[in-house]
Amino acid sequence: MKKYSPLPTMGDVARHAGVSPATVARVLYEPEKVSLEKRTIVQEALKATGYRPNAAARGLRTQRSGTIGLVVVDGTLNPFFSQLSQAIRNEALERGYNVLMFQHGMKPEREAKAVTQLLQQRADAVIFAYGVNAEGMAPLLQAGIPVVQIEQEVCAGTDAVLIDPVVGINAAVEHLCTLGHERIAFIGGDPALYDRPRVHGTSMDEDRLDAFRAAVRKHGASEDDALIRLGLYFTTTGDDPAQAGREMMHALLQAPRRPTAVLASGDILAAGALQALGEAGLSVPGDMSVIGFDNSIANLLNPPLSSIGRPLVDIGRCALDLVVNAINGQDNNSEPNRITFPTELVLRHSTRKRRA
């Protein structure tokens, strides 16, 4: 596993030198407009931080567009993708890049159209979160355009920023077991429904389910398969994305021995579970403890939801580091980079000690 170290930004240079980012930019591209004293201070800061000018700033000379493509699922259906794309756009802006974003809504044909438009716009690189079709990415690879995939790899041969669900899910199950819960349910994405390519053996959905099973086994909770319900993370049609989670929770409540806690592998699923529990006249956390995954809308729910989060700012930085290095020809690795970030449990008010 490679250790990830963020590349320095222009803002880092400015802070080190005690000047504004605009002054740093002038030293780099219009040095004649800056006094010798400030030029010296900034040049020393450039050496100290190791900052290198990005490709966008040299666009006219290098024939690059200064544009990075971003292809995501759909931020209107799952706010996680809005938050992730915002983290990426903020980092790109810091480095002087424009971001051209498309949402495919899990439709391969829309993803393919996005790729076509990015080729027409001469994007310098493209980030996918998440891609759905390896064939759709092929034209980018054939054109020699750097590609980075986030969390879910559907195409071999590209850089990837991955998320390890094990730490966060294990912490969630351990927390629930500490509170006395033995029958812990899991609602998540069904690998058969998503049928994602398994570039490295398993899919994102399988990894989350496997992490849950391992944590249950490790902490001595029930391994009853009746406590596992799989389906869609959220519906991609209509105006009720929480429907899938609501239906899974209703099914769990019909079991002869229902759970006392549930781990949802998405905050939208957890929102549906909260709705189903409310419809059944059950309270959270009084009658049922609930933990989500994504930490996207968790603090907006009632009660504020404990959830497994990912370091979105670091993920955005890492994705930009990878594409900028590739654009500038600074990646000398013979194999694609695969950088993995851990997950962590963020506790709020949706869990409590199991009732006797």
Side-chain angles (χ1 to χ4, degrees):
M1 189 82 61
K2 295 180 180 179
K3 186 176 180 181
Y4 167 65
S5 297
L7 291 175
T9 66
M10 192 178 292
D12 295 329
V13 178
R15 284 188 290 273
H16 192 281
V19 299
S20 69
T23 298
V24 176
R26 282 194 292 272
V27 170
L28 287 169
Y29 308 118
E30 299 176 302
E32 69 279 3
K33 295 183 179 181
V34 184
S35 68
L36 176 60
E37 180 182 359
K38 282 192 175 179
R39 282 207 310 269
T40 301
I41 292 172
V42 171
Q43 287 165 354
E44 289 175 354
L46 288 168
K47 292 179 182 178
T49 60
Y51 175 82
R52 296 184 181 182
N54 62 44
R58 299 192 300 268
L60 292 176
R61 189 171 73 243
T62 63
Q63 299 300 305
R64 293 172 185 161
S65 67
T67 297
I68 292 174
L70 175 60
V71 184
V72 302
V73 176
D74 194 328
T76 63
L77 296 173
N78 188 344
F80 164 74
F81 293 107
S82 294
Q83 294 169 1
L84 176 60
S85 61
Q86 186 62 44
I88 292 170
R89 291 198 300 268
N90 286 345
E91 188 64 25
L93 179 64
E94 177 76 15
R95 301 176 190 220
Y97 282 92
N98 298 313
V99 174
L100 189 57
M101 189 176 82
F102 295 87
Q103 300 182 124
H104 57 63
M106 301 300 294
K107 294 179 174 62
E109 64 275 14
R110 286 176 60 181
E111 182 182 63
K113 288 181 180 178
V115 168
T116 297
Q117 291 191 47
L118 287 168
L119 286 167
Q120 292 172 346
Q121 295 291 328
R122 295 175 52 248
D124 295 329
V126 181
I127 299 170
F128 286 85
Y130 313 126
V132 293
N133 186 6
E135 293 181 3
M137 296 184 191
L140 294 170
L141 302 183
Q142 292 165 1
I145 296 174
V147 169
V148 172
Q149 299 178 78
I150 294 180
E151 189 157 15
Q152 178 62 46
E153 293 177 278
V154 301
C155 180
T158 80
D159 288 347
V161 182
L162 306 175
I163 286 79
D164 182 0
V166 172
V167 174
I169 289 178
N170 181 73
V173 172
E174 181 180 21
H175 171 68
L176 292 171
C177 288
T178 300
L179 294 174
H181 295 281
E182 298 176 355
R183 293 185 62 76
I184 304 170
F186 178 88
I187 59 176
D190 187 343
L193 290 178
Y194 287 95
D195 192 27
R196 307 180 199 268
R198 291 155 174 80
V199 173
H200 293 284
T202 59
S203 69
M204 177 185 74
D205 322 293
E206 291 167 324
D207 290 343
R208 293 184 188 181
L209 178 56
D210 289 346
F212 172 76
R213 290 186 187 277
V216 162
R217 192 177 309 116
K218 176 180 178 180
H219 298 291
S222 173
E223 297 184 56
D224 185 356
D225 284 342
L227 295 175
I228 294 176
R229 290 289 186 275
L230 304 176
L232 296 173
Y233 286 101
F234 50 87
T235 55
T236 56
T237 58
D239 58 357
D240 188 11
Q243 176 184 347
R246 194 165 57 249
E247 291 176 349
M248 289 184 219
M249 192 71 243
H250 275 308
L252 287 168
L253 292 177
Q254 301 306 311
R257 294 186 61 207
R258 70 187 189 192
T260 63
V262 59
L263 172 60
S265 66
D267 279 356
I268 299 297
L269 285 173
L274 291 176
Q275 292 173 3
L277 290 165
E279 292 168 1
L282 299 174
S283 68
V284 176
D287 298 306
M288 184 81 66
S289 289
V290 180
I291 295 177
F293 194 111
D294 285 340
N295 199 32
S296 55
I297 59 171
N299 62 336
L300 302 177
L301 299 174
N302 185 23
L305 184 73
S306 295
S307 186
I308 297 165
R310 290 160 277 193
L312 296 185
V313 172
D314 288 341
I315 289 169
R317 271 199 203 116
C318 183
L320 261 294
D321 283 351
L322 291 172
V323 296
V324 170
N325 278 340
I327 290 168
N328 291 335
Q330 295 173 343
D331 186 353
N332 298 317
N333 295 316
S334 59
E335 296 294 328
N337 297 288
R338 301 179 77 242
I339 311 296
T340 301
F341 287 90
T343 48
E344 64 174 354
L345 176 63
V346 180
L347 290 174
R348 294 190 177 91
H349 305 296
S350 61
T351 62
R352 62 169 290 177
K353 188 174 181 180
R354 182 178 68 87
R355 288 179 175 174

